[in-house]
């Protein structure tokens, strides 16, 4: 186990190296492993905040996600990077996106719940596409006849959208207020 | 038969407004719906693609007419909805199924609204037959908008790429862990082997002497020449250590690994590593006369270590 | 295809983003693809040289390999990254462990001694592995024909095994007894 450097600047560089090389987001506790747990979580968090600040004006940015911290390229460079990578991520149909929204905002939901909201049958491949992306999974079964599977979004979904938690999802349009207002009138 | 106001601006499939695209299909705006009930299969496919379902179609009709969701004119809406569904049904029964369920619901709501309301019921907040439909439309529209927002949110691989700098694994040399128990086990395995081959007797050997032999050799190697005998000892380590160190030195001398020399009696004793020259270049007569070499036991130097 | 920025600094930032995000080395011609080939190879090379210079003091370095350019985590951070991803440690072969135990218990010994005890030839890489580990070294040469090197264990060996001295190794007598006992049973 390597030594804990006495110099905070050096510790920060080690955190930076680890985060730049990581294949998945690294949590504070994972980062502390590098120093045999000898570094207090608050210190790691403080250094991470400093790192985020240091990188804020650069081509890649340090973001805090659901499962930890990770560097990512700034969105403005994507048009150029796309030219390098001919493999494009899937572009989702409205059916997939609406299903994803319902799972994200109303989770946990069954396929029946999704169908009730959308007013149409949900094709198997719609849910499958989301499961294959690792964005939704089955978190349980509702205790009703047929024991339908309950779907919820995963941490990967939050990570891939750069969110720390579901509360960071874009707020829903407050359409209900209109309803209440006009009911009152 | 309709006692609700007719909404002229709800587009019928026969006369879709040309200004605004109904939908975009493969990037091309669909500005006009087919003009009569005969819809070419391609156009029908386009139309079915344009709506995500009956709620979507209803929302479209309502928004297009710019009427309040909370006060839907059921008769014209139902009428227009049915015209669309009829067009779809003529082409694709399976897909129209969801739409037919909704059509039935619309007709039911419309008929309930036509029923005269009891006077007393009017004061008691009778539930509007449209309430459930309105609730569903609002919830669906909320999710539909959320989907648009979600899709606009930066997404991994589409809008940004994770940074994953290369770590040259070959540079990361990992060493096996070895414990004392591993050594113990290795030794036992050697003994087993030895027992299979020979009837060697394992003798007790003072390990600390062996350790000090190594220490002395290293000490002399670092000194790279003569070291005064008394400087070879660290008295602070205590008498047992000094004794073992001395025994180790004798053992090394016996194994001809070191040379211990004294120019004459009572002069300092020097210790140095045995070097190749010792054997090949004999000392001069004078040197030989002056240097008293502490003799090593002959014939033991290359004896194999007993096991 | 995005526009070629007029500002060289901006082009450099795009190259940087691409190289940080790339999963494999990027050649000059691949990098030029991002600008629809409108950027001269010499310009790309010059900017890459500048980037290498800019990153020379940082946690990752830009290196030129046979197949292209790539950011690489500096070797000094490896021990920390290793602590982050504990892989199953490699194991020494029986030959290495036996050789080590012979050197530990019988030091100083020549290769010939080890071979006598083990009854088999000791491969050069066996001793080399132990020398590279810093566990054994040559402490002298036996004054016999061929002047064979004498191997002994080092202080690092004791440190790494958590021993204060060789006397803390299990005594051989005890080992022999254990052996006899297990043989008898």
């Amino acid at each position: 186990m390597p030594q804990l450097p006495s110099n905070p600047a050096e510790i920060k560089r080690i955190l930076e190296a680890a985060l730049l090389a990581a294949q998945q987001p690294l949590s504070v506790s994972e980062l502390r492993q590098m120093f045999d747990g000898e570094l207090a979580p608050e210190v790691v968090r403080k250094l991470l905040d400093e790192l985020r600040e240091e990188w804020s004006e650069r081509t890649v940015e340090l973001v805090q996600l659901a499962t930890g911290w990770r560097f990512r390229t700034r969105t403005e460079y994507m048009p150029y990077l796309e030219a390098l990578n001919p493999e494009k991520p899937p572009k989702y149909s409205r059916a997939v996106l609406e299903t994803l929204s319902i799972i994200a905002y109303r989770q946990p939901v069954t396929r029946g719940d999704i169908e009730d909201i959308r007013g149409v049958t949900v094709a198997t491949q719609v849910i499958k596409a989301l499961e294959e992306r690792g964005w939704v999974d089955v978190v349980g079964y509702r205790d009703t006849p047929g024991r339908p599977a309950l779907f919820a979004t995963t941490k990967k979904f939050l990570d891939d959208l750069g969110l720390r938690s579901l509360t960071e999802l874009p707020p829903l349009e407050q359409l209900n207020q209109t309803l209440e207002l006009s009911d009152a009138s | 038969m309709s006692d609700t106001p007719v909404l002229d601006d709800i587009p019928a499939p026969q006369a879709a407004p040309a200004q605004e695209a109904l939908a975009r299909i493969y990037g091309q705006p669909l500005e006009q719906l087919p003009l009569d009930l005969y819809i070419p299969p391609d156009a029908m496919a386009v139309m079915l693609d344009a709506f995500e379902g009956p709620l979507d179609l209803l929302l479209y009709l309502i928004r297009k007419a710019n009427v309040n969701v909370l006060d839907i004119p059921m008769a014209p809406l139902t009428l227009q909805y049915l015209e669309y569904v009829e067009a779809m049904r003529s082409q694709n029964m399976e897909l129209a199924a969801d739409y037919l369920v909704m059509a039935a619901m619309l007709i039911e709501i419309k008929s309930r609204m036509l029923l005269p309301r009891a006077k007393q019921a009017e004061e008691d907040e009778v539930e509007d037959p449209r309430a459930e439909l309105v609730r569903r439309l609002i919830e669906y529209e909320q999710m539909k908008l959320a989907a648009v927002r979600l899709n606009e949110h930066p997404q991994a691989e589409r809008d940004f790429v994770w940074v994953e700098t290369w770590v040259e694994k070959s540079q990361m040399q990992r060493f096996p862990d070895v414990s004392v128990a591993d050594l113990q086990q290795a030794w036992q395995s050697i003994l087993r082997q030895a027992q299979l081959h020979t009837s060697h007797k394992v003798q007790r050997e003072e390990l600390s002497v062996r350790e000090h032999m190594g220490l002395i050799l290293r000490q002399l190697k670092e000194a790279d020449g003569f070291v005064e005998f008394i400087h070879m000892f660290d008295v602070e380590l205590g008498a047992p250590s000094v004794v073992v160190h001395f025994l180790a030195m004798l053992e090394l001398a016996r194994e001809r690994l070191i040379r211990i020399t004294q120019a004459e009696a009572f002069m300092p004793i020097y210790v140095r590593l045995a070097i190749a020259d010792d054997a090949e270049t004999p000392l001069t007569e004078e040197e030989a006369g002056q240097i008293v070499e502490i003799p090593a036991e002959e014939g033991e130097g290359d004896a194999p270590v007993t096991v």
Side-chain angles (χ1 to χ4, degrees), chain A, chain B:
Chain A
M1 190 65 65
Q3 284 290 301
L4 173 67
S6 51
N7 178 358
E10 184 54 25
I11 298 174
K12 195 153 69 178
R13 292 281 82 76
I14 294 164
L15 294 174
E16 184 182 87
L19 288 161
L20 282 169
Q23 306 193 355
Q24 64 285 315
L26 293 176
S27 67
V28 169
S29 69
E30 281 171 309
L31 288 165
R32 288 179 66 228
Q33 270 177 35
M34 293 194 293
F35 310 105
D36 213 1
E38 280 174 45
L39 207 60
E42 313 84 70
V43 178
V44 176
R45 262 179 232 116
K46 189 176 159 287
L47 292 171
L48 287 170
D49 276 331
E50 286 177 26
L51 268 180
R52 170 160 56 188
E53 188 55 37
E54 283 174 29
W55 284 83
S56 63
E57 300 291 312
R58 301 186 63 91
T59 52
V60 298
E61 56 189 340
L62 182 58
V63 287
Q64 190 181 1
L65 308 160
T67 58
W69 295 68
R70 197 168 188 188
F71 275 106
R72 69 178 193 194
T73 58
R74 302 180 75 86
T75 51
E76 63 208 84
Y77 295 104
M78 204 56 200
Y80 298 98
L81 303 192
E82 271 170 1
L84 282 175
N85 199 357
E87 210 176 299
K88 300 255 184 296
K91 202 167 177 296
Y92 293 121
S93 66
R94 264 185 66 191
V96 173
L97 286 169
E98 288 181 10
T99 301
L100 177 63
S101 285
I102 293 166
I103 297 174
Y105 286 94
R106 296 277 184 258
Q107 58 190 292
V109 287
T110 64
R111 190 154 149 182
D113 296 337
I114 301 166
E115 290 177 341
D116 282 347
I117 294 174
R118 294 195 64 230
V120 283
T121 323
V122 172
T124 309
Q125 65 263 34
V126 165
I127 290 180
K128 211 167 167 182
L130 292 168
E131 283 184 311
E132 274 169 7
R133 184 75 190 261
W135 281 0
V136 310
D137 62 2
V138 173
V139 290
Y141 296 88
R142 184 171 289 159
D143 198 12
T144 49
R147 293 184 52 73
L150 284 162
F151 294 96
T153 54
T154 61
K155 292 233 167 158
K156 186 180 191 301
F157 163 73
L158 293 175
D159 283 349
D160 281 358
L161 265 80
L163 305 171
R164 273 177 296 176
S165 91
L166 284 174
T167 56
E168 291 189 350
L169 280 174
L172 288 177
E173 300 273 339
Q174 286 307 309
L175 300 167
N176 302 12
Q177 278 175 1
T178 330
L179 180 65
E180 282 156 22
L181 282 173
S182 55
D183 266 1
S185 65
Chain B
M1 66 161 261
S2 172
D3 54 359
T4 39
V6 173
L7 290 148
D8 295 331
D9 43 358
I10 288 184
Q14 290 86 348
Q19 283 81 1
E20 201 174 334
L22 174 61
R24 282 183 178 271
I25 308 302
Y26 308 123
Q28 293 304 306
L30 175 74
E31 287 171 344
Q32 214 175 334
L33 283 170
L35 292 175
D36 52 36
L37 285 183
Y38 172 72
I39 299 169
D42 287 356
M44 177 52 78
V46 158
M47 213 164 97
L48 296 181
D49 274 353
F51 298 110
E52 278 299 313
L55 288 171
D56 198 25
L57 172 57
L58 277 177
L59 269 178
Y60 165 77
L61 295 174
I62 290 164
R63 292 297 172 209
K64 209 73 183 165
N66 202 18
V67 296
N68 191 341
V69 180
L70 303 170
D71 192 20
I72 304 165
M74 287 309 294
L77 180 74
T78 306
L79 189 67
Q80 294 192 354
Y81 178 87
L82 288 175
E83 281 170 2
Y84 274 89
V85 168
E86 188 51 44
M88 290 183 190
R89 203 165 74 102
S90 67
Q91 292 296 320
N92 190 326
M93 277 302 293
E94 200 191 353
L95 235 140
D98 287 322
Y99 290 87
L100 290 178
V101 174
M102 178 59 72
M105 187 183 169
L106 291 175
I107 292 164
E108 195 228 333
I109 293 169
K110 193 184 129 191
S111 49
R112 272 168 61 196
M113 288 183 76
L114 288 174
L115 291 174
R117 295 181 193 180
K119 276 264 187 260
Q120 68 269 36
E122 226 168 324
E123 332 251 303
D124 295 341
E125 293 255 8
V126 173
E127 203 194 17
D128 192 312
R130 297 171 298 181
E132 172 62 11
L133 177 66
V134 167
R135 187 196 63 75
R136 289 188 64 189
L137 283 169
I138 287 174
E139 178 158 37
Y140 175 66
E141 188 168 42
Q142 202 173 33
M143 286 303 144
K144 188 179 149 178
L145 291 170
V148 173
R149 291 281 192 80
L150 211 54
N151 197 38
E152 284 166 355
H153 205 87
Q155 213 179 76
E157 292 160 55
R158 190 191 66 184
D159 303 302
F160 60 84
V161 180
W162 299 117
V163 173
E164 199 181 311
T165 56
W166 180 40
V167 177
E168 208 172 353
K169 296 278 186 212
S170 59
Q171 293 182 343
M172 237 186 346
Q173 204 181 358
R174 268 191 75 80
F175 289 119
D177 286 326
V178 174
S179 67
V180 171
D182 293 328
L183 287 182
Q184 209 167 334
Q185 216 175 1
W187 190 260
Q188 282 175 349
S189 126
I190 294 166
L191 292 182
R192 269 178 223 281
Q193 282 300 114
Q195 279 182 339
L196 287 177
H197 294 300
T198 60
S199 54
H200 277 287
K201 178 128 173 54
V202 179
Q203 291 172 336
R204 182 191 162 89
E205 180 126 4
E206 193 51 71
L207 188 60
S208 56
V209 173
R210 291 267 155 208
E211 179 173 23
H212 281 262
M213 285 165 74
L215 287 176
I216 292 164
L217 290 172
R218 208 165 270 122
Q219 205 176 349
L220 292 172
K221 195 174 145 196
E222 276 161 25
D224 195 24
F226 289 99
V227 174
E228 204 178 326
F229 181 75
I230 55 164
H231 291 151
M232 294 293 294
F233 295 89
D234 187 353
V235 288
E236 280 176 23
L237 294 175
S241 170
V242 172
V243 171
V244 171
H245 209 62
F246 181 66
L247 288 173
M249 209 178 291
L250 292 181
E251 181 64 22
L252 286 166
R254 191 183 69 84
E255 289 187 20
R256 297 194 196 186
L257 295 170
I258 59 169
R259 290 279 185 269
I260 304 173
T261 56
Q262 187 179 32
E264 58 186 86
F266 309 115
M267 288 296 280
I269 299 169
Y270 289 99
V271 184
R272 69 166 167 86
L273 284 179
I275 50 171
D277 292 352
D278 288 350
E280 285 151 20
T281 51
L283 299 165
T284 60
E285 298 258 326
E286 288 128 303
E287 281 171 335
Q290 287 170 349
I291 297 171
V292 180
E293 190 155 322
I294 296 170
E297 283 177 60
E298 296 295 324
E300 297 284 332
D302 47 6
V305 180
T306 47
V307 174

